[in-house]
Amino acid sequence: MFFRSFFDENLAQMSYFVGCQKTGEALIVDPARHISPYLDTAAKEGFDISAITETHIHADYVSGSRELAKKTGAKLFLSDEGDENWKYGFAEEFEHEFVKDGSVFTIGKIELKVLHTPGHTPESISFVLTDRGGGSDVPMGIFTGDFVFVGDIGRPDLLEKAAGVTGTAEAGAAAMFQSIQKFRELPDFMQVWPAHGAGSSCGKALGAVPVTTAGYEKKNNWAFKLDNKADFIEELLKGQPEPPKYFAVMKRVNKEGPDYLREAEIKEMSSEDMKKNTEVQVIDTRPSDLFKEGHLPGSLNIPLGKTFANWAGWLLDYNREAVLVCESSSVEQTKKMLESVGYDKTEAYIEPNEISGTESYEEVTAAEAADLLKSNPEDYAVIDVRNAAEWEQGHILEAKHVMLGTIRERLEELPGDKKLLVHCQSGVRSAIAMSVLQAEGYKDSINIIGGFSAWKEADLPYSKES
């Protein structure tokens, strides 16, 4: 058997290539939108991609199943669990088979048995792999999707929080409890291949190790230490991070079938050209210290890095075209990162040295911010853009909590007659927030250098719990 995993560090997403060396057939599990790694591996190793499967309808990235099926003609094996709201609309375009709990299918001499493991979503399934071609009659491992991670399990609240379907979080948690009991019955020696690692928003405490075993998780994963259903549900729902708002869009896109990727060229523009085009949104990918010193008015600063795709999904208007402020050498990478979260409207880019007619913003230290609040309390307001769990662990006494991803929807909650002192934990997210606020007209906003960590280090007063 041939086995290879692929990790997208920008989305903390795992996908898998499983090949039968006896027949040359291969299966791709949970493919990412950009499919060249699978095609390149198949060509290099001499495999024909004959099958594609997904553990569930993904919410955090655009699936590559439709793109890969079109390119290869591979058969789709997709979940038939859940009600009519959880069916794959694009399956009829290709050869496909809907599978349920207990279904078995083979890729050459490799056997995959389906387990229905709802909780994260109603249609979620896992695949138990047995290498019959290698002479084994016991399973080697299980593809768990967003069911069991290393050290954590999938969150059940995305449908309620991201899509607004009330009452589904607790029902999902109850279903997850039952799925956990099913997992307990698996042999301890089985490997566990999850769909995500540390950094994903699909759980709250995912481990950074890419693979684990069933026995290890039974002994160490918190979810297997709670035998009381009510306690389990309470713990699972507690402290889950805010889901990016684009998750609801991804659910719909992946259910109906993502658009095929375009081959359009991204043209270069000048800042003078930009002044004539006020309909587009500008995404400035430079580091925040450069953006702070000078940027195009109205531009959104999301520095290139591991969190770029996540914050782009939170903050971009998916209905408007975008122009990147980006080095030409990074344009293609940036475009792909945006496409991975379903944004396909990147039209042009501007070289950073072309930026002219710019605005900037002010920064102060934590001590300076405290002095401003003390001497002129009527002139300043503190805005905390961290997530809810961070806020609950402690916050500046005078602060108002407005999580970064929700700023645009909550502008009416901000005091319009005061200068805003903006902070996060260390300064990374507040710099992004500064660009949003400036674009929305809060030109006098001030960033607190070092954020809440610097505030505590300066021994300034704060609430130690919400």
Side-chain angles (χ1 to χ4, degrees):
M1 187 184 82
F2 177 88
F3 185 99
R4 181 160 297 173
S5 61
F6 301 85
F7 184 67
D8 183 343
E9 65 178 13
N10 300 304
L11 298 167
Q13 181 251 338
M14 299 288 293
S15 55
Y16 300 90
F17 185 117
V18 181
C20 175
Q21 292 166 316
K22 291 184 180 294
T23 65
E25 298 169 80
L27 165 73
I28 310 300
V29 182
D30 287 331
R33 190 176 193 188
H34 295 96
I35 61 175
S36 57
Y38 317 119
L39 300 176
D40 293 345
T41 299
K44 180 180 178 181
E45 303 295 340
F47 286 103
D48 172 40
I49 297 175
S50 60
I52 304 162
T53 194
E54 295 189 359
T55 52
H56 63 292
I57 300 172
H58 299 283
D60 54 317
Y61 67 96
V62 177
S63 164
S65 290
R66 185 172 185 241
E67 191 91 19
L68 191 58
K70 179 186 177 185
K71 184 72 174 180
T72 64
K75 182 177 180 179
L76 294 166
F77 292 89
L78 300 172
S79 175
D80 198 27
E81 299 286 359
D83 61 27
E84 66 277 2
N85 295 312
W86 299 94
K87 305 303 180 186
Y88 289 85
F90 66 91
E92 299 297 331
E93 299 175 34
F94 310 101
E95 183 183 3
H96 68 278
E97 181 178 332
F98 290 123
V99 296
K100 300 176 76 73
D101 188 66
S103 295
V104 176
F105 62 95
T106 58
I107 309 301
K109 302 296 183 180
I110 300 169
E111 177 187 280
L112 285 302
K113 182 177 181 180
V114 177
L115 293 182
H116 183 211
T117 49
H120 178 65
T121 59
E123 87 293 356
S124 290
I125 53 178
S126 299
F127 302 100
V128 176
L129 182 152
T130 302
D131 183 14
R132 300 291 184 188
S136 180
D137 59 0
V138 295
M140 175 185 289
I142 180 172
F143 296 102
T144 53
D146 288 16
F147 167 36
V148 174
F149 301 123
V150 178
D152 200 5
I153 58 174
R155 60 189 298 178
D157 61 326
L158 286 179
L159 186 59
E160 183 161 332
K161 289 183 178 177
V165 185
T166 58
T168 53
E170 187 159 342
M176 184 66 83
F177 182 78
Q178 297 305 320
S179 294
I180 287 291
Q181 310 320 310
K182 188 179 294 187
F183 186 94
R184 291 183 191 274
E185 299 174 4
L186 299 176
D188 287 353
F189 59 78
M190 282 178 58
Q191 294 183 56
V192 175
W193 304 305
H196 293 289
S200 170
S201 295
C202 292
K204 57 183 174 181
L206 281 69
V209 178
V211 66
T212 183
T213 65
Y216 188 86
E217 294 309 308
K218 291 176 195 177
K219 288 184 177 296
N220 295 284
N221 192 315
W222 70 265
F224 293 88
K225 298 178 181 180
L226 296 177
D227 295 324
N228 180 274
K229 185 176 181 179
D231 292 342
F232 174 90
I233 291 173
E234 180 182 1
E235 183 62 29
L236 179 55
L237 294 176
K238 181 175 66 179
Q240 292 289 358
E242 296 89 342
K245 65 180 182 180
Y246 76 91
F247 274 24
V249 176
M250 293 300 93
K251 274 290 183 187
R252 176 184 54 77
V253 165
N254 287 326
K255 173 186 171 183
E256 297 174 359
D259 291 337
Y260 296 118
L261 288 167
R262 300 181 302 157
E263 296 295 334
E265 181 182 356
I266 307 300
K267 61 181 182 293
E268 184 177 0
M269 293 179 65
S270 68
S271 58
E272 291 302 314
D273 293 330
M274 270 301 305
K275 293 176 183 178
K276 305 170 188 175
N277 191 349
T278 58
E279 297 301 314
V280 299
Q281 54 192 330
V282 180
I283 309 169
D284 194 321
T285 67
R286 294 177 299 159
S288 58
D289 57 340
L290 296 179
F291 180 87
K292 177 196 69 171
E293 296 300 329
H295 52 267
L296 293 173
S299 54
L300 175 65
N301 181 215
I302 312 179
L304 279 183
K306 291 182 179 180
T307 62
F308 176 82
N310 177 69
W311 289 120
W314 265 109
L315 297 168
L316 286 183
D317 182 344
Y318 273 53
N319 296 313
R320 295 171 61 198
E321 295 177 352
V323 173
L324 307 175
V325 175
C326 185
E327 300 283 353
S328 59
S329 59
S330 298
V331 168
E332 187 61 28
Q333 172 200 4
T334 307
K335 173 177 172 285
K336 285 185 175 181
M337 291 168 73
L338 293 171
E339 289 171 340
S340 71
V341 293
Y343 183 80
D344 295 349
K345 295 182 181 293
T346 305
E347 295 297 322
Y349 76 97
I350 304 172
E351 289 281 1
N353 60 13
E354 280 283 322
I355 300 300
S356 63
T358 60
E359 64 182 11
S360 59
Y361 63 77
E362 182 183 354
E363 291 188 320
V364 296
T365 66
E368 289 169 338
D371 286 342
L372 290 173
L373 289 168
K374 184 177 181 180
S375 58
N376 302 289
E378 68 283 353
D379 294 332
Y380 295 92
V382 181
I383 305 299
D384 184 334
V385 300
R386 298 176 300 159
N387 63 40
E390 292 171 306
W391 166 266
E392 290 168 0
Q393 291 171 3
H395 53 267
I396 297 173
L397 297 175
E398 300 89 347
K400 178 175 180 56
H401 181 229
V402 183
M403 186 265 180
L404 169 57
T406 67
I407 283 182
R408 281 209 169 101
E409 289 75 41
R410 300 176 62 187
L411 291 173
E412 71 281 355
E413 300 178 31
L414 303 180
D417 58 344
K418 295 185 178 184
K419 292 183 179 180
L420 305 182
L421 295 165
V422 186
H423 80 88
C424 59
Q425 189 66 27
S426 63
V428 175
R429 286 168 289 175
S430 62
I432 299 174
M434 288 293 298
S435 71
V436 177
L437 289 168
Q438 279 199 324
E440 295 293 343
Y442 293 82
K443 303 295 186 182
D444 294 330
S445 298
I446 301 169
N447 190 35
I448 300 178
I449 301 169
F452 189 61
S453 294
W455 188 276
K456 290 198 298 183
E457 289 173 6
D459 200 26
L460 296 166
Y462 68 94
S463 169
K464 293 187 168 46
E465 59 181 27
S466 181

